[in-house]
Amino acid sequence: MAKVRTVFRCPDCGASAPKWVGQCPGCAAWGSLVEELDAPLEAVAHALVASSGPPVPIAEVDPTEFTPRPTGVDELDRVLGGGLVPGSVTLLTGEPGIGKSTVLLQAAATVASSGRTVLYLSGEESPQQVRLRAERLGALHPGLFLAAETALPHLISAIDQVQPELVVVDSVQTLVAPELSSAPGSVAQVRECSHRLVQEAKRRGCAVVLVGHVTKEGTLAGPRVLEHVVDTVLAFEGDRHHALRLLRVTKHRFGSTQELGLFEMTESGLVGVPDASGLFLADRRVGVPGSVVVPTMEGVRPILVELQALVADSNLPAPRRSAQGVDSGRLSMILAVVERRVGFPLAKLDVFTLAVGGMKVLEPGADLAVALAVASAMQGRPVPPDLVACGEIGLGGELRQVAHTPRRLAEAARLGFTRAIVPHSAPHDVGGIELIRVGTLLEAMDRLDLFDI
Ligand code: TYD
Ligand code: MG
């Protein structure tokens, strides 16, 4: 085979160099050069003239081309808007150990059990390790093929042999295109391999799922480039100390990015959690001061979460403000409003706040619940156990309604809550739950008997 030439090119200005150099010869940027194949002129020219046909009226475009096929893992299908689209490429990102391989092996198994062929490429674990895990997950189906390749040409010939409808590449950082001299996981390798896989997926009409590790800072290790190349980006999130895992979709060419999938990591793999609110409230002790339930929204999914606050005398010059699963900037603002607009003396107190169950409640809709939890903790008086609180607090202590209030309250009613404290402007007619309408935080505290100091 003739040696393929590579060049090092600057993605910003396009200048190239035959060898890697620290500073771009074109724009003088440092460390910007990335290795890529020096494409022969004919190939470039062909790509430029290749046409996908004449323009057609929009109504005549065939929409069935992008019909998703269910994977059989319900929470994954929910996030994908029905399933994986044939010919599409999906990137699943997440920190190491969060459960990416587990969820994809489960999805691969359910797809295989429905009579379709799946190729699972494992570059990180040996086939023996994957088999052991598959055994525990009950995933030993004849239609599920394993390969432990890391070289791209071998992967493509494996696809040729098996002719799968779904290809899982775990992970894209282990793949190498041998023409490039860069190391696996480098920007050049990840970009080249993912480009080629996108072409293969489109050409064969098989769905491809790529696993991409992210660093602690939450960015893809090296290959941010990938997000532009793929059709769908899924992010698997969670806290190692909790069993809960959240699956979000941050980019989706075939549907909404509003859905959220919830899983619980168990002995026998990931189990979907259709009733998230029930899960979060399962261990709640009613009648404890400092606890308030908020109907929060994750995309279009309402979830009830318990917020807790604890207040203690401080012996520090700057008292502690601790926010676990609560936005610390918003907490500071809420405490300032509680102090200035309601008059609670918080300056010499440590304040701890917590969203129970490993959930992150960062939206303004939780402001009122946080403020009421702090007030309840300070007064040592519980709020009624059948009450939820929902609303945004302004700097003047006034309350504003938040998006999707009816949907939030309907979820609260479904779980047996009978009262909700909401801003004046909240919509009318939310069935099954009595609304306590208030204009300000002070009024809200007064109505709940938390005000007298
Ligand atoms: P894994 O899917 O290997 O994570 P990733 O591919 O994102 O790196 O899952 C890692 C963790 O999940 C591992 O620490 C063990 C745990 N786990 C279970 O608790 N139950 C199971 O059935 C499986 C397969 C894994
Ligand atoms: Mg893995």
Side-chain angles (χ1 to χ4, degrees), residues 96-97 99-102 120 124-125 133 170-171 211 213:
K100 300 180 294 297
S101 305
T102 308
Y120 190 101
E124 302 196 334
E125 291 161 304
R133 177 185 300 206
D170 187 3
S171 68
V211 171
H213 293 297

Side-chain angles (χ1 to χ4, degrees), residues 88-120:
S88 71
V89 179
T90 303
L91 173 68
L92 175 64
T93 69
E95 282 181 24
I98 205 80
K100 300 180 294 297
S101 305
T102 308
V103 73
L104 290 179
L105 195 56
Q106 287 179 257
T110 48
V111 170
S113 71
S114 70
R116 293 180 270 161
T117 310
V118 182
L119 176 63
Y120 190 101

Side-chain angles (χ1 to χ4, degrees), residues 173-197:
Q173 275 106 349
T174 58
L175 276 187
V176 276
E179 303 88 74
L180 300 181
S181 58
S182 309
S186 63
V187 176
Q189 286 288 5
V190 165
R191 191 165 70 173
E192 178 63 21
C193 293
S194 53
H195 267 296
R196 298 261 285 276
L197 282 171

Side-chain angles (χ1 to χ4, degrees), residues 234-268:
L234 300 175
F236 215 17
E237 298 171 5
D239 174 352
R240 271 166 185 269
H241 305 292
H242 287 97
L244 186 77
R245 299 286 182 272
L246 287 83
L247 184 65
R248 292 177 202 281
V249 51
T250 55
K251 166 181 175 179
H252 198 19
R253 285 194 179 140
F254 309 109
S256 146
T257 53
Q258 291 288 303
E259 279 292 354
L260 171 83
L262 285 166
F263 294 92
E264 207 175 349
M265 183 60 98
T266 70
E267 291 284 289
S268 50

Side-chain angles (χ1 to χ4, degrees), residues 36-121:
E36 62 180 46
L37 290 181
D38 195 8
L41 277 178
E42 313 89 86
V44 176
H46 184 73
L48 286 176
V49 294
S51 159
S52 56
V56 288
I58 188 163
E60 285 171 28
V61 176
D62 181 12
T64 54
E65 205 184 321
F66 293 126
T67 309
R69 300 200 64 182
T71 63
V73 175
D74 292 343
E75 292 292 302
L76 177 62
D77 289 341
R78 168 207 283 260
V79 171
L80 289 169
L84 291 165
V85 172
S88 71
V89 179
T90 303
L91 173 68
L92 175 64
T93 69
E95 282 181 24
I98 205 80
K100 300 180 294 297
S101 305
T102 308
V103 73
L104 290 179
L105 195 56
Q106 287 179 257
T110 48
V111 170
S113 71
S114 70
R116 293 180 270 161
T117 310
V118 182
L119 176 63
Y120 190 101
L121 176 99

Side-chain angles (χ1 to χ4, degrees), residues 149-183:
E149 295 297 351
T150 53
L152 189 64
H154 294 163
L155 168 60
I156 292 174
S157 67
I159 298 177
D160 275 333
Q161 283 164 26
V162 179
Q163 298 288 330
E165 283 189 36
L166 169 63
V167 178
V168 176
V169 179
D170 187 3
S171 68
V172 70
Q173 275 106 349
T174 58
L175 276 187
V176 276
E179 303 88 74
L180 300 181
S181 58
S182 309

